[in-house]
Amino acid sequence: MSEKPSVTDRVVAAGFAAGWRLVPLLPRGLTAGAFRLAADRVWARRGKSVLRLESNLARVTGLAPGSPELGELTRAGMRSYFRYFEEIFRLPSLPVEEVVRRTHVTGAEHIFDTVAAGRGVVLALPHMGNWDQAGAWLVGVGHPFATVAERLRPESLFRRYVAFREGLGMEVLPLTGGDGHNFASLAIRVRRGGVVCLPAERDLTKSGVEVDFFGARTKVPAGPPLLSVQTGAALLPATVYFHGDDWGIDIHEEIPVPAEGTRQEKVAAMAQSLAHVFEKGITAHPEDWHMLQRLWLEDLPR
């Protein structure tokens, strides 16, 4: 039997439902300003999530804890995070042509050429910018894809998120609580020459691959590199960020499967290569990295 949702769960779910219903009806300048103001207020309270983001940004930038520069970067990070939510409420009402026109992409040929050659693609992304908008762009240029979604509480919120993403043209599989055959389902899609998009810098299954990331150890999901090793699909890192009022996506060169080693060794080597690419993307756009949780092993409770 599923756990009964708490009052907080129900309030959050109601807030999201209201956002998807009301935000598209209001002027963009009004809602963008309101979300930015909300971000500033949350930042000023310096709660646990804000302090965690600040700590994470200190690690990736080298800025001194407590410095004005780090404080301003963290505020920019919270504004970016809240912008993501304002945009997902508005995204279903945006014409596909506008989404495509306002998306500035480098390296798109890595996807297009690979798919045109009949080979599948595994796109691996960190939690940056507006990844749902990036997915809408990919669908808009003719490449629908499959992805997985973290199970949210309450169940009604998870269903709304799935419906939102499916409405943009994505195929969504639950990370947990499904039929237990997600990896096989994703493998079938890329073996047929399709595209799969997966988050790849934070392990949510507790069975990830340990890598060096900004000078410390963390675990990343094994799924993206393992799919490439098992199916021969191209593993392409992608970083997503805000480009003024528009959006930016950098599709990086393929991470090849090593010629030597066991399957486990190949997966580990590719996961480490992914982490290095993500380091460069996050360093270029640290304010758009939405990591408000513990990430590095030394930060986790014993």
Side-chain angles (χ1 to χ4, degrees):
M1 181 179 296
S2 61
E3 185 177 348
K4 184 178 180 180
S6 67
V7 172
T8 301
D9 291 339
R10 292 196 294 270
V11 169
V12 169
F16 272 80
W20 271 304
R21 184 173 64 254
L22 298 177
V23 168
L25 303 178
L26 300 172
R28 182 184 175 199
L30 177 64
T31 57
F35 275 75
R36 186 166 55 249
L37 178 61
D40 286 348
R41 289 181 173 176
V42 171
W43 170 78
R45 293 191 190 108
R46 295 183 62 76
K48 289 182 179 180
S49 295
V50 173
L51 293 177
R52 176 52 51 191
L53 176 62
E54 185 173 281
S55 175
N56 291 340
L57 289 174
R59 186 186 292 274
V60 305
T61 63
L63 292 172
S67 67
E69 295 82 5
L70 180 60
E72 285 303 309
L73 178 60
T74 305
R75 178 162 68 172
M78 290 305 297
R79 287 180 172 182
S80 174
Y81 187 52
F82 274 64
R83 173 178 170 176
Y84 161 75
F85 288 107
E86 192 271 340
E87 287 186 351
I88 66 167
F89 294 143
R90 192 174 295 278
L91 192 54
S93 66
L94 287 182
V96 174
E97 297 78 9
E98 180 180 349
V99 172
V100 173
R101 174 177 54 82
R102 293 174 54 200
T103 305
H104 306 266
V105 185
T106 63
E109 68 277 4
H110 297 312
I111 300 175
F112 302 157
D113 293 349
T114 303
V115 174
R119 189 173 169 219
V121 167
V122 179
L123 277 171
L125 302 86
H127 290 79
M128 290 182 69
N130 188 335
W131 47 89
D132 288 305
Q133 179 279 328
W137 166 81
L138 188 56
V139 173
V141 295
H143 292 284
F145 62 91
T147 187
V148 296
E150 179 182 358
R151 203 97 198 184
L152 302 175
R153 293 177 55 194
E155 181 68 17
S156 61
L157 177 57
F158 174 72
R159 290 196 301 267
R160 286 187 184 275
Y161 243 110
V162 170
F164 156 66
R165 287 172 171 158
E166 289 179 341
L168 297 176
M170 310 177 196
E171 179 187 4
V172 183
L173 304 174
L175 181 65
T176 58
D179 61 11
H181 298 94
N182 283 352
F183 186 88
S185 298
L186 297 174
I188 289 172
R189 285 153 181 77
V190 292
R191 284 195 174 106
R192 292 173 177 171
V195 179
V196 166
C197 295
L198 297 171
E201 100 285 26
R202 178 171 175 251
D203 176 46
L204 293 173
T205 65
K206 299 183 180 180
S207 60
V209 180
E210 194 169 317
V211 297
D212 284 314
F213 193 51
F214 287 102
R217 302 296 282 177
T218 188
K219 285 188 175 183
V220 298
L226 182 58
L227 268 175
S228 181
V229 171
Q230 290 284 81
T231 67
L235 179 61
L236 302 180
T239 47
V240 180
Y241 50 92
F242 293 119
H243 189 282
D245 289 335
D246 296 342
W247 308 280
I249 306 174
D250 293 337
I251 311 296
H252 303 271
E253 293 184 354
E254 178 183 350
I255 294 178
V257 177
E260 304 293 336
T262 64
R263 181 176 63 180
Q264 183 177 5
E265 290 168 342
K266 291 177 180 179
V267 168
M270 296 173 75
Q272 184 62 71
S273 295
L274 266 181
H276 287 324
V277 176
F278 291 162
E279 286 174 337
K280 295 177 183 178
I282 292 168
T283 298
H285 305 279
E287 70 280 1
D288 290 331
W289 186 45
H290 303 154
M291 188 51 62
L292 281 69
Q293 300 86 15
R294 291 184 176 94
L295 182 68
W296 284 275
L297 299 182
E298 63 188 52
D299 294 334
L300 297 176
R302 290 185 181 275

